[in-house]
Amino acid sequence: MAQQIRTTSSSWMRGVATTLNEQGLDAAALFADVGLSIDDLDDCDRRWPTEALSRLWVLAAERSGNPDIGLAKLDAPRPDNYGVAGYAMMSSPTLLAGLTRLIRYMCLVSDAVTITLEQGNGGRWVRTDVFGGECPIPRQRYDYGVVNLLNLCRWMLDRRLTPLATRFSHAVPLSIASYNRAFQSPLEFDAPFNGFLVSDQDLACKLTTSAPELSAIHDRIADEALERLVKTDTAHRARTAIAKLLPDGSPLRSAIAAELGLSDRTFQRRLADEGLSFSDLVDDVRRELAQRHLADFRMTLTDIGYLLGYADQSTFFRASNRWFGESPGEYRSRVMGGHQQEIAAARLMRTARTSIG
């Protein structure tokens, strides 16, 4: 089955390379080890395979011996990491308006990442989701993305923004000291998603970077860049629309085309240009959603089957065996077993440290 290749911008990759070098690593060598050339960072229009970025973070953590490397350099926010999307965000009047603009243009930074605002207790969650493809997403990649965005918000406000809470989907690490320094908020691990909760008062605050006279210009430039990207990335927008409509059952191609403001014929042609069929795209979205939902033990298999748009559990079970070579329950047990081993190891390490202390 053909799967969409997700990509990340050169602006974001330059930020990663800078962070690795600042931590005493040889970024060029790390890039080469995962099949990338750091010299290509000079091409501002280049798009980088996102799975290689995951492998890069895994290798960086191994070479540095620092599992918290994604949280390094907390005092150095880099608005240029977001390219033109960052400029559109910075020129916004308030933090809420800035985040809304970033959501609109996020695929310019990476079409493997979606940012959403979800209602929370006293504010809104700034939620980050990453599609990893065949490569598991290392926690360093989530750490870097979440803290980078928080520090950008702090920089635009020109003050210390403290989240009401911060969540990570990965297991609790051996030490949470780096997380406490980075976020200075209540922490939750093994959470249903990754992100931080910003109060309504902070969201309404005016940005010190606000530039009303430049806002329309930045939007125009970002819109033009988005239009160029979308012409070769219809699948990215289609995936979001498919995920939205799946609970109502298998969506029709014409319905997704309408969601994108395209005719059915144009939509079909653009998918073909990207080497994809609509049925393959729907199946790929279901598979990635299944991976995410099955890792959340609070969701029942019946609920997951419904969210994937299956009319009965037997169809869901057959799809799971085709995707993963095992039933949904077996896949969940294997994934959760790995999480439990990490948690047990962390607890054992804490106990040992306490005893030594």
Side-chain angles (χ1 to χ4, degrees), residues 6 20-21 28 51 64 78 90 93 123 129 166 200 284 327 329 332-333 335 353:
R6 305 300 186 89
L20 300 181
N21 282 325
E51 291 192 25
S64 66
R78 298 189 175 97
M90 288 185 285
D129 289 294
T166 307
D200 291 325
D284 195 32
S327 71
R332 166 170 278 179
S333 296
V335 172
R353 288 177 175 174

Side-chain angles (χ1 to χ4, degrees), residues 119-137:
Q119 198 63 46
N121 186 16
R124 297 196 195 185
W125 286 99
V126 182
R127 170 175 175 166
T128 300
D129 289 294
V130 178
F131 294 99
E134 297 299 325
C135 183
I137 302 168

Side-chain angles (χ1 to χ4, degrees), residues 11 18 21 28 37-38 46 55-57 68 87 155 157 184 186 195 203 207 212 220 222-223 247 296 299 307 314 324:
S11 58
T18 299
N21 282 325
S37 172
I38 202 167
R46 184 178 180 82
R55 294 195 296 271
L56 186 66
W57 278 117
D68 299 331
Y87 289 104
W155 180 77
L157 289 170
Q184 298 184 342
L203 288 170
L207 298 180
R220 177 177 55 80
D223 282 333
D296 184 354
M299 297 185 66
L307 291 174
S314 61
F324 313 125

Side-chain angles (χ1 to χ4, degrees), residues 78-262:
R78 298 189 175 97
D80 55 308
N81 283 7
Y82 296 86
V84 65
Y87 289 104
M89 184 183 185
M90 288 185 285
S91 61
S92 303
T94 65
L95 181 57
L96 177 58
L99 288 168
T100 301
R101 271 197 173 90
L102 179 62
I103 290 170
R104 178 179 177 182
Y105 298 124
M106 188 61 201
C107 64
L108 294 175
V109 183
S110 175
D111 59 24
V113 179
T114 57
I115 295 175
T116 53
L117 292 174
E118 299 187 0
Q119 198 63 46
N121 186 16
R124 297 196 195 185
W125 286 99
V126 182
R127 170 175 175 166
T128 300
D129 289 294
V130 178
F131 294 99
E134 297 299 325
C135 183
I137 302 168
R139 73 173 174 94
Q140 293 78 16
R141 187 172 174 185
Y142 269 122
D143 292 348
Y144 180 79
V146 173
V147 78
N148 194 293
L149 180 53
L150 176 61
N151 284 339
L152 177 58
C153 293
R154 288 168 169 167
W155 180 77
M156 292 187 299
L157 289 170
D158 195 25
R159 63 178 175 81
R160 189 69 176 176
L161 171 65
T162 302
L164 298 177
T166 307
R167 286 178 172 177
F168 287 97
S169 59
H170 58 72
V172 58
L174 295 177
S175 171
I176 63 171
S178 295
Y179 291 85
N180 284 329
R181 285 194 298 271
F183 301 100
Q184 298 184 342
S185 72
L187 300 169
E188 180 182 349
F189 297 93
D190 283 308
F193 59 83
N194 300 270
F196 51 90
L197 180 60
V198 182
S199 71
D200 291 325
Q201 292 82 0
D202 285 330
L203 288 170
C205 284
K206 179 179 174 61
L207 298 180
T208 60
T209 58
S210 177
E213 69 280 6
L214 296 177
S215 183
I217 297 174
H218 290 158
D219 277 352
R220 177 177 55 80
I221 295 173
D223 282 333
E224 290 173 354
L226 187 61
E227 183 177 359
R228 291 194 300 272
L229 180 64
V230 164
K231 285 182 178 178
T232 57
D233 195 23
T234 300
H236 172 71
R237 294 194 301 151
R239 295 176 70 90
T240 302
I242 289 169
K244 173 184 173 183
L245 297 181
L246 271 178
D248 295 327
S250 296
L252 296 174
R253 190 182 63 205
S254 57
I256 299 301
E259 285 279 324
L260 303 184
L262 301 172

